[in-house]
Amino acid sequence: MASFESFYQEYPCSYNSPLSCDRPFQTAQQIKGAKFCLECGFPATLAQEAEIKGNQGTYQIASFVGVRGLGRLYSGVQLKDKQPVLIKEYLLPNRSFNESEIQKRKDTFKRVGGVSLADSRVQNFRLVETKEAIADEKRERCYLITQGIESSQTLGKYLIEKGSMTSPDVREVLNQGLQTLQFLHTQKLRFPSNQVQLGITHGNISLDSTLIKVENNQKFSIYFCDLAIWENLFIPPIIPQPAPARPEQDLESLGLLAFSLWVGRTTNFLSNQPLDPRDNQQWPDTDSHLKQFIYRLIGLETPFESAEAARQALLKLPKEDGGKSSVRSSPGSQEIKKPLPMPLLLLLILLLLLLGGGIWYWLWGRKTDNPNQYIQWSRLVRNFSEVPNVPSGQFTYTGEKDSTWSFVLTQSVDNSRLGDLLTRPKSDATATFDYKSVLSSNINNPTKSLEEVQTNKKDFAITSLVDNITDKLAKKPVAYDGLLVFVAFNKRDSNLANALGGQINLEQLRQIYTGKITNWQQINPKLPNLAVKPFAPTEPEAISKFQEIVLKNAPQDEALFAAKVTKLDTTKTQNLIRSETLEGRSTGIISFGIISKTSSQCTGYPLAIADAKKSAIQPLFQKRDRRSINPSDDLCQHDDYYVDVTTFQSYPLGYPIFVVYPKDSNRLPGGSTFAQMLTTRQGQCLLIKVGLVALQPMPDDINSYACKSVP
């Protein structure tokens, strides 16, 4: 099949991948009822609470989950019984499919979307249960309604989060996978059209079409989904259509999947190309029997006749042997029995030295976890319900209208707005916290929120601007915020980000934003001959922090900043960059913005920041390798990178966000209580999910496991 990124070429997405691009989702969020992406015209994501009518009921969208294969995923419910479902939306956009192709594929989808045993037995052979296949009569979309296992648990994501599997676990994946293929290949199966067929080929086995469900005791089950018979209907006709798959191809695909799980990655670190199982150096050396079995599955040695024959051979396979018996250097080679000749011995010594260096780098040269760094996290109160002495009453708090806090309160987290979750954080208490933003008359000195607390008009405030608070107010940090500086980034043509080496220093920023640097070649003659076009966001707090950190609050520099820099909403700046890129122009735009608006996008590359005395710091880390990002990374895969808390604590453009409240003991302690709640584990996890940075490191990158364990 052609590369996924070559699909939908008729839509001028600047990232050449409109299905996985974030702009259709952002369009749906920003414009109620939007049907198409504002930039390229690709179908927008479905709106929250949109309803889909099928033959077996009506389903309501709860939230957009992401992309898997050739469709977009949504969590939802069936309205009649409120049962949770997963909705996979397939697209037939009219620039890629003509009317007759659209209708033909809709009709076929309704006939073949989902399979079950022909004799109506209810038997779990680990296929994701399909409730219904729906073709939208009014729009160019189809929907597959499924239930039973979370969509996010693909083996691809498992590999990123957990790393390689042990050989016993790989054997178990193969055992379950072959058992499911045995069912698929040999049973009488019924399609939604009531057509019965003896056996079906999956045709689309991969890390992303195989889900894993892990039990509390660490046992797991794998489930197949996204069968080719309906998934391939949505490959645009301009793309060469795959030939009907054969059962032996399922075995080969399962073998390659097992190989990737065992090795722990899908690409060669040195060449950045897909791993080649013919390369003996890529294989683990812990289980030669499993290795030879996978050779046969993928056809490098005598292939198995069927899934049943392969499974029987797997069950008879000797246990893990440490890789010492019958080790072969490549398929079909002879066992090594003779003493090693001297040149080969010298080569092995050299390899051992290189391996030792690699192990040294792994243990000491890369970022590793120090258990002591999680002590602060372990001492936090677990959740809101455990916060003691919560006062009764209605508290009103405030912040600047266009501040980070005003923005993050509107963001969705755990299927609710953060603002709604924090209105009554402790359900068994009568305390409520209502947020009312204010607007400072002087946008260059946004202190209105603090004045409201000082004059008793509000109970407390949340702000990052606390340098001039009086001794009558107390402050408590609850999270970190910061500014990311970005330049145009296109994974096909990231010349400016690359030429800068992915970084910039504070003095260069000062000269850019005061008009002293007007062409990128003034920084380095090797940079593109482009005019520098500095932009700034519209949030007063963000501008104030930039002037404090970069311009050192120098009045003359602030005046030049005001005169020479264009202020534009961060999203609109990103749109402008994309527009210039779509037109084929190189753009010299540079801008900055708060983390929650700039980290989950791929229009601009966030530069590492250096100051006069220290090397550049990049707080965004690539998730799998736990290293800082670089311009060669694909930032459109938003779940592949995260803010590293420990690194961020040294980031020059980072700063705390505080809860500011009166020290007056005669007033109820609403502010200090709210700060206590935000600094519980539950509170920190919520703030991370809306784009802020935790006060302390948490176990596991992106803090996924730490936060999943908190209600």
Side-chain angles (χ1 to χ4, degrees):
M1 187 187 300
S3 167
F4 178 73
E5 291 184 357
S6 65
F7 287 15
Y8 313 118
Q9 287 293 300
E10 301 82 0
Y11 292 85
C13 174
S14 61
Y15 298 100
N16 205 26
S17 187
L19 185 64
S20 58
C21 179
D22 58 354
R23 295 301 169 172
F25 172 71
Q26 290 187 10
T27 298
Q29 293 287 97
Q30 294 166 6
I31 303 175
K32 186 175 181 180
K35 299 293 191 297
F36 304 100
C37 173
L38 287 176
E39 297 184 23
C40 73
F42 194 72
T45 55
L46 298 173
Q48 193 172 7
E49 298 186 355
E51 294 183 0
I52 299 168
K53 293 183 178 180
N55 294 326
Q56 298 183 29
T58 300
Y59 309 91
Q60 187 177 67
I61 300 292
S63 64
F64 174 61
V65 175
V67 174
R68 189 183 72 213
L70 293 179
R72 300 192 289 213
L73 301 176
Y74 305 83
S75 62
V77 295
Q78 185 169 4
L79 288 179
K80 68 178 181 181
D81 56 11
K82 301 301 180 184
Q83 288 297 307
V85 295
L86 181 76
I87 301 166
K88 185 164 186 179
E89 173 199 32
Y90 292 101
L91 301 168
L92 295 163
N94 58 16
R95 295 186 200 172
S96 302
F97 300 83
N98 62 38
E99 289 186 14
S100 64
E101 289 166 343
I102 290 172
Q103 192 57 51
K104 180 180 179 181
R105 296 184 189 221
K106 282 184 176 181
D107 292 342
T108 305
F109 179 72
K110 288 189 291 185
R111 292 199 310 271
V112 303
V115 293
S116 59
L117 283 169
D119 58 12
S120 300
R121 283 179 294 152
V122 177
Q123 187 168 352
N124 178 16
F125 53 101
R126 288 186 293 275
L127 275 181
V128 173
E129 181 184 349
T130 301
K131 286 181 66 69
E132 183 169 12
I134 303 169
D136 195 319
E137 296 179 359
K138 297 181 180 179
R139 294 190 285 183
E140 301 147 349
R141 310 182 191 221
C142 293
Y143 313 101
L144 194 71
I145 313 297
T146 63
Q147 60 183 173
I149 183 170
E150 292 182 19
S151 63
S152 61
Q153 298 171 315
T154 66
L155 282 179
K157 290 193 175 182
Y158 178 94
L159 194 64
I160 291 172
E161 293 183 355
K162 295 280 195 176
S164 61
M165 279 189 170
T166 62
S167 63
D169 282 347
V170 173
R171 289 183 181 222
E172 182 58 24
V173 168
L174 288 169
N175 178 40
Q176 294 184 26
L178 289 169
Q179 190 176 38
T180 302
L181 290 180
Q182 185 179 339
F183 272 106
L184 274 176
H185 294 171
T186 63
Q187 295 291 309
K188 285 186 177 181
L189 302 172
R190 187 185 303 277
F191 293 106
S193 61
N194 281 325
Q195 175 188 349
V196 174
Q197 177 175 313
L198 179 61
I200 186 175
T201 303
H202 186 296
N204 188 38
I205 295 174
S206 70
L207 291 171
D208 291 326
S209 66
T210 310
L211 311 183
I212 183 170
K213 186 175 184 180
V214 181
E215 308 296 343
N216 292 332
N217 57 6
Q218 298 304 306
K219 291 184 178 179
F220 62 82
S221 299
I222 66 164
Y223 292 78
F224 287 148
C225 59
D226 302 340
L227 271 65
I229 194 170
W230 63 76
E231 189 85 2
N232 289 353
L233 292 172
F234 302 94
I235 298 174
I238 195 173
I239 305 296
Q241 303 295 293
R246 302 184 306 277
E248 54 267 31
Q249 290 174 309
D250 279 350
L251 299 184
E252 180 181 343
S253 296
L254 181 62
L256 291 172
L257 178 146
F259 171 62
S260 296
L261 290 174
W262 197 13
V263 175
R265 61 187 190 277
T266 59
T267 57
N268 186 312
F269 288 145
L270 297 177
S271 66
N272 203 32
Q273 296 298 312
L275 283 179
D276 184 357
R278 295 175 179 82
D279 182 356
N280 194 58
Q281 294 182 357
Q282 303 296 338
W283 288 83
D285 61 359
T286 56
D287 190 340
S288 62
H289 303 298
L290 176 59
K291 178 179 177 181
Q292 299 304 317
F293 179 84
I294 295 176
Y295 274 159
R296 292 190 64 186
L297 268 187
I298 60 182
L300 295 180
E301 290 192 351
T302 306
F304 295 105
E305 294 180 357
S306 64
E308 181 179 6
R311 184 164 181 265
Q312 291 303 316
L314 178 70
L315 296 176
K316 296 175 183 177
L317 213 60
K319 292 184 178 180
E320 183 177 1
D321 61 359
K324 296 180 181 179
S325 63
S326 301
V327 177
R328 303 183 183 186
S329 62
S330 62
S333 65
Q334 299 298 315
E335 294 181 11
I336 299 173
K337 295 182 179 179
K338 296 181 180 179
L340 294 174
M342 184 58 67
L344 184 56
L345 185 60
L346 293 174
L347 178 61
L348 284 175
I349 292 172
L350 177 60
L351 288 174
L352 286 172
L353 289 173
L354 291 173
L355 179 62
I359 292 173
W360 182 91
Y361 169 76
W362 180 261
L363 292 176
W364 304 105
R366 70 189 293 271
K367 177 180 172 65
T368 56
D369 283 344
N370 175 4
N372 292 330
Q373 68 183 321
Y374 304 133
I375 290 176
Q376 286 181 290
W377 167 258
S378 66
R379 291 173 178 171
L380 296 182
V381 174
R382 179 178 169 82
N383 51 39
F384 295 155
S385 63
E386 295 177 10
V387 174
N389 305 319
V390 176
S392 298
Q394 295 182 337
F395 299 94
T396 302
Y397 71 107
T398 189
E400 196 68 29
K401 182 179 179 183
D402 290 321
S403 65
T404 294
W405 191 255
S406 290
F407 175 72
V408 299
L409 285 182
T410 67
Q411 299 305 291
S412 177
V413 55
D414 298 341
N415 296 322
S416 300
R417 289 172 67 256
L418 179 64
D420 296 334
L421 291 172
L422 295 181
T423 298
R424 191 176 180 180
K426 190 170 180 179
S427 58
D428 60 349
T430 59
T432 60
F433 300 90
D434 295 318
Y435 182 72
K436 304 290 183 184
S437 64
V438 293
L439 181 63
S440 295
S441 56
N442 181 0
I443 61 173
N444 294 317
N445 188 26
T447 59
K448 179 71 172 177
S449 60
L450 296 179
E451 294 170 4
E452 293 281 293
V453 179
Q454 186 76 46
T455 57
N456 297 335
K457 293 179 181 178
K458 299 292 189 295
D459 292 294
F460 59 93
I462 296 187
T463 180
S464 60
L465 306 178
V466 295
D467 289 345
N468 298 316
I469 65 171
T470 69
D471 57 5
K472 294 182 179 180
L473 298 177
K475 63 180 182 180
K476 182 174 181 179
V478 292
Y480 285 109
D481 193 15
L483 305 174
L484 295 180
V485 177
F486 58 92
V487 294
F489 176 72
N490 186 312
K491 62 187 177 185
R492 293 174 297 173
D493 180 22
S494 54
N495 55 345
L496 185 53
N498 266 323
L500 285 165
Q503 64 180 352
I504 199 166
N505 64 47
L506 292 179
E507 176 58 22
Q508 289 165 344
L509 282 177
R510 186 189 71 80
Q511 293 189 46
I512 285 173
Y513 278 89
T514 55
K516 294 179 175 63
I517 292 178
T518 58
N519 189 290
W520 285 105
Q521 289 190 339
Q522 290 175 253
I523 293 178
N524 188 326
K526 295 181 180 179
L527 287 173
N529 182 16
L530 276 175
V532 175
K533 295 195 286 187
F535 283 75
T538 53
E539 295 90 354
E541 278 190 12
I543 292 174
S544 181
K545 296 303 294 187
F546 185 87
Q547 292 182 153
E548 172 191 332
I549 299 169
V550 178
L551 305 184
K552 308 299 184 185
N553 288 332
Q556 183 177 358
D557 284 350
E558 289 180 358
L560 290 170
F561 176 92
K564 296 180 178 296
V565 176
T566 302
K567 294 184 178 68
L568 191 65
D569 176 79
T570 300
T571 300
K572 292 181 179 178
T573 302
Q574 293 163 1
N575 289 344
L576 182 60
I577 291 174
R578 290 168 66 86
S579 176
E580 293 191 4
T581 305
L582 284 170
E583 293 172 3
R585 292 187 284 154
S586 296
T587 177
I589 291 176
I590 183 172
S591 188
F592 62 91
I594 56 177
I595 291 175
S596 48
K597 285 189 176 183
T598 53
S599 62
S600 293
Q601 54 82 42
C602 51
T603 297
Y605 180 81
L607 298 169
I609 304 297
D611 62 21
K613 299 178 181 179
K614 298 179 182 178
S615 58
I617 294 176
Q618 174 57 265
L620 294 182
F621 270 51
Q622 199 265 359
K623 185 173 183 180
R624 178 173 171 181
D625 300 327
R626 304 190 75 172
R627 58 160 175 81
S628 57
I629 63 169
N630 61 61
S632 67
D633 288 321
D634 182 2
L635 300 187
C636 291
Q637 302 296 324
H638 298 157
D639 58 352
D640 282 350
Y641 63 99
Y642 64 100
V643 178
D644 182 75
V645 176
T646 303
T647 303
F648 189 82
Q649 291 171 350
S650 302
Y651 180 60
L653 297 182
Y655 47 84
I657 289 183
F658 297 91
V659 172
V660 179
Y661 52 90
K663 293 180 180 178
D664 188 351
S665 59
N666 293 321
R667 295 175 65 175
L668 289 173
S672 60
T673 300
F674 196 72
Q676 274 185 278
M677 291 186 173
L678 292 181
T679 51
T680 62
R681 295 187 200 177
Q682 182 179 3
Q684 292 290 280
C685 288
L686 289 174
L687 297 185
I688 287 171
K689 291 176 182 179
V690 295
L692 297 178
V693 182
L695 292 174
Q696 61 286 303
M698 300 181 187
D700 299 301
D701 58 274
I702 202 51
N703 318 306
S704 55
Y705 304 117
C707 287
K708 283 181 180 178
S709 65
V710 177

